[in-house]
Amino acid sequence: MRIRFTAAIYEWTARRNWFFVDVPPELGADISDQPRMPRGFGSVRVVATLGGTTWSTSIFPLGETYVLPLKKAVLKAEGIGEGDEIVVDLDVLDG
């Protein structure tokens, strides 16, 4: 499954310097509807692309959707930070 969405970067309030974007709830519902093997914390393996940067990671359930963690190296390479709206492509590997 491949999805694309736009979201704003935010810093996790419980831990400084950890940045995330939320997958839109309707796309999160599509992801959670796919059958898959259970993984730690309900995570789903993905390949994420942001601008010219692609990396393997996992998205994690949060409420009605999933969150995508953004590595510091990605933020730096793309020249982005908290509050910026970004376009993300996700290839969902599990399911």
Side-chain angles (χ1 to χ4, degrees):
M1 166 188 280
R2 179 173 284 173
I3 62 172
R4 173 178 270 198
F5 62 93
T6 301
I9 300 170
Y10 63 91
E11 186 175 19
W12 187 24
T13 56
R15 186 132 187 184
R16 292 191 42 88
N17 296 314
W18 287 43
F19 295 91
F20 297 85
V21 291
D22 292 341
V23 175
E26 62 277 4
L27 296 175
D30 290 344
I31 294 168
S32 61
D33 285 345
Q34 298 298 311
R36 66 181 48 86
M37 294 293 294
R39 295 184 45 125
F41 303 104
S43 65
V44 177
R45 292 179 313 128
V46 299
V47 173
T49 301
L50 172 58
T53 306
T54 299
W55 73 103
S56 295
T57 189
S58 293
I59 55 176
F60 298 89
L62 181 65
E64 298 295 315
T65 193
Y66 291 87
V67 295
L68 169 68
L70 300 173
K71 297 178 179 184
K72 289 180 188 180
V74 173
L75 298 173
K76 184 176 179 180
E78 296 298 323
I80 55 176
E82 185 175 13
D84 290 340
E85 279 222 347
I86 58 172
V87 175
V88 178
D89 289 302
L90 286 183
D91 289 316
V92 180
L93 303 177
D94 288 339

